[in-house]
Amino acid sequence: MDNLASDPRSGWEIYRSPEDRSAMYELADSYLAYLSSAKTEREAVAGVISALTSAGFTEGFGSAKAWQSLHGKALFAARRGRRPLSEGIRLISAHTDSPRLDLKQHPLIEQAGIGQAKTHYYGGLRKYQWFARPLALHGVIVRSDGTSVTVSLGESSDEPCFTIADLLPHLAHNAASPKLSEAFSAEKLNVILGHEPVLREGETDAPKDPVRMRVLQLLHEKYGIREDDLISAELEAVPAGPARYVGLDRGLVGGYGQDDRICVYTAMRALLDAADPEYTICVIFWDKEEIGSDGSTGASSRFLQYCVEDMADAWEPGTPFRRIMMNTKAISGDVHAGVDPDWQDRHELKNSAFLGKGVAFCKFTGSRGKYGANDAHPEYLGWMRGVLDAKGIPWQMAELGKVDVGGGGTVALFLAAYGMDVVDAGPALIGMHSPFELSSVPDIYAAKLAYQAFFEAE
Ligand code: MN
Ligand code: MN
């Protein structure tokens, strides 16, 4: 009777040999470096392209290891397999964008002798988490002549950082306590950029906003830009500083943007490390997932279709796109909500993901009666279980919180629309969408091995 009951195993138990531990931490070390350098969707894609290029991948489909990018924010990459494309591809998706504070197109203001940048938040975030912490600015500014500057400021200790100040407790004795969702106004998410005014040359020519003018001077000195250049810019205020190990045992990774760069990184490593593939193996990394997957670089765009059509034209002309898609097997690589030890009441613990118990599968996402869900077919789940169990990879099956409490969407339904089999699978996080999300070191390893086993499966 011992093996009749379901008993998800801990990745710590499975990966206990010195060889496994060494490989597990080699992956975690390199993931930490990637995560620390990938604070925006463009930086996430650039890091992947750099790794692909080092591994011999080329742009376009002129070789058997190829990639194609859109606006440097979305990326498709493929390794040609032995079987014809008409038998389908093996595809893993993930998303490159993360919640953050975008600078407005007219960002620069001055109030009370402080120069600030107004922001418009991107994605689902809890506003209070963004106050009183060091922030960095990352992004791109495009001048009207088409030239551009790349910005990354506030990461290293010899650079200044930025911040949003929070109200001191002494002035927060409101008689009526507002609800948390109303206590923090989006229009108060103003990033402090400076404090020094432009000094007056005489008694007559004091500029109206001297601190704002000094900020503009410094931006011009550093980047050669004028205020109007910020109209055609994408500047993102993100948590400053590198990702870190957390805990005496270094058992957790803490950092910004693990949703979903943890899946981007592990899927990329799986693509690179998979043995000569039977089927053509591909990754698609989309942008805009956190705001509904619209836009030319999001999952509802035609980018994937165009890439697969280009690939078929180059490698096997005449193969109908629909035949490739209908025979494709896919994983929607996205993070799952791990059980937070202090918020266990939000989960139904029999159907929840626990950190350390391996890659978390989710048969369906959506909310309130599975509305808006891809619902993976049982035949596909059965096949997937076989692939993972054959290699002894720890995995778990979970829902996103209690019914009618939790819920959320991923890009799985956009893949399912093509007719392919698809299921969500990725590491569980604690503190998802916060400036310091937590993942489990063995789960990172399990995710990479699970993705690789999926790529290598016949
Ligand atoms: Mn996600
Ligand atoms: Mn998310």
Side-chain angles (χ1 to χ4, degrees):
M1 301 290 283
D2 280 356
N3 53 8
L4 282 183
S6 177
D7 183 24
R9 291 171 64 205
S10 158
W12 293 110
E13 294 289 348
I14 291 173
Y15 302 123
R16 64 197 300 162
S17 74
E19 297 74 28
D20 278 337
R21 287 291 168 99
S22 159
M24 190 166 97
Y25 275 96
E26 179 276 327
L27 182 71
D29 285 346
S30 54
Y31 169 57
L32 276 170
Y34 173 76
L35 188 61
S36 301
S37 72
K39 297 286 186 87
T40 68
E41 60 278 34
R42 285 180 195 251
E43 290 173 358
V45 165
V48 172
I49 289 175
S50 159
L52 292 176
T53 305
S54 302
F57 282 67
T58 55
E59 186 172 8
F61 295 97
S63 78
K65 295 197 290 186
W67 59 270
Q68 212 155 268
S69 173
L70 186 59
H71 293 295
K73 299 174 175 180
L75 181 96
F76 177 86
R79 279 178 63 190
R80 191 171 183 177
R82 284 186 288 273
R83 298 209 192 193
L85 290 172
S86 58
E87 292 188 28
I89 59 176
R90 302 285 195 246
L91 176 67
I92 301 178
S93 72
H95 64 92
T96 57
D97 61 319
S98 297
R100 71 211 180 216
L101 303 177
D102 286 340
L103 264 57
K104 292 188 182 187
Q105 273 16 82
H106 292 291
L108 301 182
I109 60 167
E110 175 176 342
Q111 307 184 88
I114 302 289
Q116 293 168 301
K118 297 209 59 78
T119 65
H120 193 138
Y121 65 92
Y122 174 100
L125 51 80
R126 310 192 78 190
K127 298 186 190 79
Y128 70 87
Q129 296 176 341
W130 290 76
F131 291 87
R133 61 160 40 247
L135 298 172
L137 283 179
H138 289 243
V140 62
I141 304 167
V142 182
R143 302 185 193 91
S144 58
D145 65 1
T147 59
S148 65
V149 282
T150 302
V151 174
S152 171
L153 193 57
E155 294 293 349
S156 72
S157 56
D158 61 345
E159 291 171 349
C161 68
F162 310 94
T163 195
I164 302 169
D166 197 5
L167 187 62
L168 64 168
H170 315 68
L171 298 184
H173 300 302
N174 289 9
S177 310
K179 289 197 327 203
L180 186 61
S181 58
E182 295 160 3
F184 301 92
S185 159
E187 294 294 354
K188 286 194 160 99
L189 289 168
N190 298 324
V191 178
I192 293 178
L193 295 183
H195 175 46
E196 178 190 6
V198 168
L199 298 179
R200 34 174 98 197
E201 296 291 332
E203 285 306 308
T204 54
D205 63 345
K208 184 166 150 286
D209 291 331
V211 178
R212 198 176 74 91
M213 289 310 299
R214 181 68 184 136
V215 166
L216 275 169
Q217 274 184 351
L218 290 167
L219 286 173
H220 187 261
E221 282 168 24
K222 190 166 178 62
Y223 298 115
I225 60 155
R226 321 177 74 82
E227 189 166 21
D228 273 351
D229 292 323
L230 297 174
I231 290 172
S232 45
E234 284 184 348
L235 291 174
E236 306 177 11
V238 296
R244 310 271 299 271
Y245 283 111
V246 173
L248 290 169
D249 50 14
R250 298 175 177 247
L252 301 163
V253 166
Y256 163 71
Q258 301 205 64
D259 175 9
D260 187 31
R261 292 163 195 150
I262 196 170
C263 292
V264 169
Y265 188 76
T266 48
M268 176 200 77
R269 284 289 298 260
L271 181 78
L272 296 180
D273 292 353
D276 267 355
E278 183 72 15
Y279 292 85
T280 291
I281 59 177
C282 308
V283 294
I284 175 83
F285 298 148
W286 277 304
D287 175 31
K288 297 287 180 280
E289 193 275 343
E290 298 293 358
I291 57 169
S293 293
D294 293 320
S296 64
T297 50
S300 68
S301 74
R302 304 286 174 268
F303 178 58
L304 172 64
Q305 178 179 343
Y306 297 160
C307 288
V308 172
E309 286 177 345
D310 285 349
M311 180 171 72
D313 283 351
W315 292 355
E316 291 169 37
T319 309
F321 173 70
R322 65 179 179 280
R323 179 142 325 140
I324 303 172
M325 291 288 102
M326 288 295 288
N327 288 326
T328 285
K329 287 183 165 67
I331 287 177
S332 163
D334 209 341
V335 296
H336 204 84
V339 173
D340 182 323
D342 293 316
W343 295 96
Q344 296 188 44
D345 61 317
R346 304 305 160 102
H347 300 266
E348 185 269 286
L349 296 177
K350 184 74 179 168
N351 287 281
S352 293
F354 291 86
L355 262 63
K357 294 273 181 144
V359 61
F361 280 79
C362 192
K363 184 176 183 295
F364 51 86
T365 53
S367 58
R368 299 182 191 282
K370 303 192 179 182
Y371 195 87
N374 166 61
D375 203 350
H377 302 294
E379 292 83 357
Y380 188 47
L381 291 180
W383 177 83
M384 190 70 77
R385 285 171 54 208
V387 168
L388 298 186
D389 289 346
K391 301 215 163 165
I393 296 164
W395 60 272
Q396 48 189 331
M397 178 60 76
E399 290 192 27
L400 191 58
K402 281 179 175 165
V403 181
D404 286 347
V405 170
T410 66
V411 299
L413 71 172
F414 298 101
L415 292 168
Y418 291 108
M420 65 183 72
D421 263 320
V422 56
V423 63
D424 280 289
L429 302 183
I430 290 177
M432 191 199 298
H433 282 205
S434 80
F436 198 68
E437 303 172 311
L438 297 176
S439 62
S440 149
V441 169
D443 291 350
I444 300 165
Y445 191 51
K448 187 264 184 182
L449 292 181
Y451 293 159
Q452 188 173 336
F454 166 75
F455 277 151
E456 292 173 344
E458 299 204 354

